[in-house]
């Protein structure tokens, strides 16, 4: 007996005090494939969601707008948010380099690496907000990738349940990258989680398959920005390899904490052909202050 048939049998037994004949007709119709299409689809979807072995990876990721607001992240509400204005300013430069006047001088301009010199300077916060801001565009989509597979944070910040992601694709456990690209409840936003921890994460990020993936993402959709939340740049060799595959880079700098020497060291490790910008994070703001952003 198939999983679907078992589930229907269980439902029939629960309802046998009602109409046993009607339940038998529904089972027969489903087995024969003669029930209305939308009813059958509903039942199959319910069984898959209930079954521990069901294929749940295609379920969209639900992102709670209330939680976004509580964490200081951009929401899709009509409410005016200062952070929206700040990231609107940042994304305009990136979009121009990817699709506007700056595109002709950049290779893979729609691939943006977000990193920092050292951990805990706010790169994931910037990555998520940048993706949320671009998702508000009417004619663009954005793919947010948790490429910091050593210390992934995006799933935690967005309360995403564990599921296959970048690591599983690079290991060959899934055959097509589309299997780990998840739709979300936010229009125009898709996500590739980091996936399960693995002892070869460093080698995976520097593999030929990762290089091939970035080329596919750069060329597959002409209207898509791809944001990589990447490992810190200092003393993490895979970040420097990853940077060679990008068209643009944002280096997150923590105000009153990041050292000039570290910032210089981080930038020196980047490909000189990259368009590089800086975001000053955790700044003490006045009404006139915004996130610092220094051109290219």
């Amino acid at each position: 007996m198939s999983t679907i048939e078992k589930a229907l049998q269980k439902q029939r037994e629960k309802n046998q005090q009602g109409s046993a004949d009607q339940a038998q007709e529904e089972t027969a119709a489903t087995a024969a494939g003669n029930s209305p299409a939308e009813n059958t689809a509903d039942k199959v979807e319910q069984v898959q969601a209930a079954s521990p072995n069901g294929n749940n990876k295609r379920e969209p990721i639900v992102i709670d707008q209330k939680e976004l607001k509580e964490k200081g992240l951009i929401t899709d509400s009509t409410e005016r948010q200062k952070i929206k204005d700040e990231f609107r300013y940042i994304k305009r430069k990136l979009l121009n380099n990817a699709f506007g006047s700056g595109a002709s001088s950049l290779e893979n301009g729609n691939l943006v690496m977000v990193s920092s010199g050292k951990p805990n300077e706010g790169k994931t916060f910037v990555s998520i907000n940048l993706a949320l801001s671009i998702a508000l565009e009417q004619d663009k989509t954005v793919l947010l990738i948790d490429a910091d597979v050593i210390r992934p944070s995006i799933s935690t910040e967005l309360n995403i349940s564990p599921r296959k992601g970048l690591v599983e694709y690079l290991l060959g456990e899934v055959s097509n990258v589309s299997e780990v690209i998840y739709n979300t409840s936010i229009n125009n936003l898709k996500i590739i989680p980091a996936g399960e921890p693995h002892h070869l994460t460093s080698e995976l990020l520097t593999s030929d398959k990762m290089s091939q993936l970035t080329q596919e993402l750069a060329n597959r959709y002409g209207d898509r920005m791809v944001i990589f939340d990447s490992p810190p740049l200092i003393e993490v060799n895979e970040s420097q390899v990853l940077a060679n595959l990008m068209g643009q880079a944002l280096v997150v700098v923590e105000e009153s904490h990041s050292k000039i020497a570290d910032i210089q060291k981080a930038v020196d490790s980047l490909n000189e052909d990259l368009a590089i910008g800086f975001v000053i994070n955790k700044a003490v703001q006045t009404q006139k202050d915004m996130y610092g952003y220094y051109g290219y």
Side-chain angles (χ1 to χ4, degrees):
M1 182 179 291
S2 69
T3 303
I4 294 176
E5 290 172 328
K6 289 179 181 178
L8 292 176
Q9 175 70 18
K10 184 176 180 180
Q11 182 65 34
R12 187 169 64 250
E13 291 173 355
K14 288 176 61 178
N15 296 332
Q16 67 185 127
Q17 297 298 326
S19 174
D21 291 341
Q22 182 178 355
Q24 290 173 357
E25 288 176 5
E26 289 179 2
T27 304
T30 301
N34 295 324
S35 60
E38 63 181 30
N39 289 342
T40 301
D42 288 345
K43 289 174 183 176
V44 171
E45 185 177 354
Q46 290 170 7
V47 170
Q48 286 182 337
S51 170
N53 296 320
N55 183 3
N56 294 326
K57 65 184 179 182
R58 305 313 306 161
E59 294 179 4
I61 294 171
V62 177
I63 297 178
D64 190 310
Q65 294 291 321
K66 183 178 179 181
E67 287 187 6
L68 291 181
K69 185 175 181 180
E70 290 173 349
K71 292 181 178 180
L73 299 169
I74 291 173
T75 69
D76 61 5
S77 70
T78 57
E79 178 184 359
R80 183 70 181 265
Q81 288 181 290
K82 186 175 182 181
I83 197 169
K84 278 185 181 179
D85 294 332
E86 293 166 345
F87 276 91
R88 186 177 290 120
Y89 179 75
I90 295 172
K91 74 177 175 182
R92 285 284 167 250
K93 294 179 180 289
L94 298 173
L95 290 171
N96 182 65
N97 278 336
F99 308 110
S101 59
S104 60
S105 61
L106 285 178
E107 184 177 357
N108 299 343
N110 63 327
L111 304 186
V112 181
M113 174 185 190
V114 181
S115 188
S116 57
K118 293 185 176 181
N120 303 316
E121 293 184 306
K123 64 181 183 59
T124 298
F125 178 82
V126 171
S127 297
I128 294 174
N129 272 317
L130 182 59
L132 291 170
S133 181
I134 294 174
L136 296 175
E137 295 289 309
Q138 298 301 305
D139 59 350
K140 295 288 183 289
T141 61
V142 58
L143 174 62
L144 176 60
I145 301 178
D146 195 342
D148 192 353
V149 292
I150 300 173
R151 295 181 59 186
S153 300
I154 287 176
S155 291
T156 300
E157 290 300 314
L158 296 180
N159 198 23
I160 299 173
S161 59
R163 59 190 70 204
K164 291 182 178 180
L166 181 61
V167 169
E168 285 75 16
Y169 172 73
L170 294 176
L171 285 171
E173 295 180 6
V174 296
S175 58
N176 195 303
V177 68
S178 63
E179 296 181 55
V180 293
I181 297 178
Y182 299 91
N183 292 324
T184 73
S185 57
I186 295 177
N187 290 337
N188 300 332
L189 173 63
K190 301 177 185 294
I191 292 178
I192 297 182
E196 291 295 319
H198 194 275
H199 67 283
L200 293 178
T201 50
S202 297
E203 287 77 8
L204 292 174
L205 283 182
T206 58
S207 66
D208 289 340
K209 193 165 186 178
M210 185 66 190
S211 177
Q212 294 165 6
L213 172 61
T214 57
Q215 289 304 308
E216 180 180 357
L217 295 175
N219 300 314
R220 189 170 182 177
Y221 301 104
D223 65 343
R224 176 177 290 177
M225 289 289 286
V226 186
I227 309 300
F228 291 80
D229 182 23
S230 308
L233 291 165
I234 297 177
E235 298 177 357
V236 182
N237 292 332
E238 52 268 31
S239 294
Q240 298 165 21
V241 175
L242 191 61
N244 291 329
L245 308 174
M246 303 289 110
Q248 304 190 67
L250 276 184
V251 179
V252 179
V253 177
E254 183 179 352
E255 186 181 54
S256 302
H257 182 272
S258 300
K259 298 178 180 179
I260 295 297
D262 288 340
I263 299 170
Q264 186 65 54
K265 186 175 181 180
V267 173
D268 287 346
S269 69
L270 296 174
N271 185 339
E272 62 181 14
D273 294 327
L274 275 173
I276 304 172
F278 297 87
V279 175
I280 299 179
N281 190 36
K282 303 182 184 180
V284 177
Q285 298 181 338
T286 68
Q287 289 186 343
K288 295 182 179 180
D289 286 337
M290 297 177 68
Y291 276 75
Y293 189 83
Y294 301 97
Y296 290 88

